[in-house]
Amino acid sequence: LAGELRDADVLMINEEFPFGTTGEAALDKQYTFRTDPSFVSAFQDMGADLVGLANNHVLDFGQSALLETFATLDGANLRYAGAGENLSRAKELQIFEVKGKRLGFLAASRVWPDTSWAAGEEHPGVFGTYDPTLLLSAITAAKEEAACDFVTVFVHWGIERNPLPEDYQRDLAAQYAAAGADLVIGMHPHVLQGIEYAGDTPVFYSLGNFIFGGRTYNTAAVKATIAPDGTVQITVLPCIASGGCTRLAEGSDAERIYSTLTTLSFGAAVDENGNLTR
């Protein structure tokens, strides 16, 4: 699995905690997370290139720990999307030039404890999509103004531990696709949810917990292979996360995860080789 991740031209991950040593835990939250900045080495070891910060835990220890997070990622030469020292930075498109293709990445959240988490013009925070207007504009600009060949949108949404997406998730996915998104990757439910094509855009509603303590989880990574002619092959890498360690699933475990995803999906399926079909 580590080899698959490191071999990617661009690897984007969701960081659902701040890197920091400062701040106070939010009083009104059941779970608050914070990780020592030295552990950014884990991201470097897995070959991460880009980190999504738009979620409901990145401000668990307030703005000071969030600012430490930015500094930690900058110091590790890791780009980030979905949060920033102001709204302009939080919604900023991240572009990678790879083998003649311009790949654009955006991140936004529709889950946060209260509106104070939203980035503003003069204060740090998260890029939100409760009202999708700004994100839709950013997606369109990525295709038309930035001339990206492929745009991926990371979005935090849904209900925790629910294997089915909410109606609003499907509605937002359709809007993102219509605006120009080529791939939508969802997170937050902590379990696998199904897949759907919004037009020609594959939407993964939730990939579950990729690295997480506690119980054993079925999870997955999504591999998008873009050919020179622009055609795209989407492949699911089935994984099992247990005790903070994640491994590539094989044999009957892989078949079970493919079958689960297909059962939960809407007009999409994952074949025996992990390829997405419709």
Side-chain angles (χ1 to χ4, degrees), residues 68-93:
E68 281 190 84
T69 299
F70 302 153
T72 299
L73 295 171
D74 287 338
N77 294 314
L78 289 167
R79 295 202 218 171
Y80 57 90
E85 65 272 12
N86 53 46
L87 177 59
S88 295
R89 177 62 184 87
K91 66 180 183 179
E92 184 177 286
L93 174 70

Side-chain angles (χ1 to χ4, degrees), residues 232-255:
V232 181
Q233 175 64 58
I234 302 293
T235 306
V236 174
L237 302 180
C239 302
I240 295 176
S242 182
C245 181
T246 306
R247 63 177 175 84
L248 196 62
E250 299 177 332
S252 60
D253 285 334
E255 293 174 4

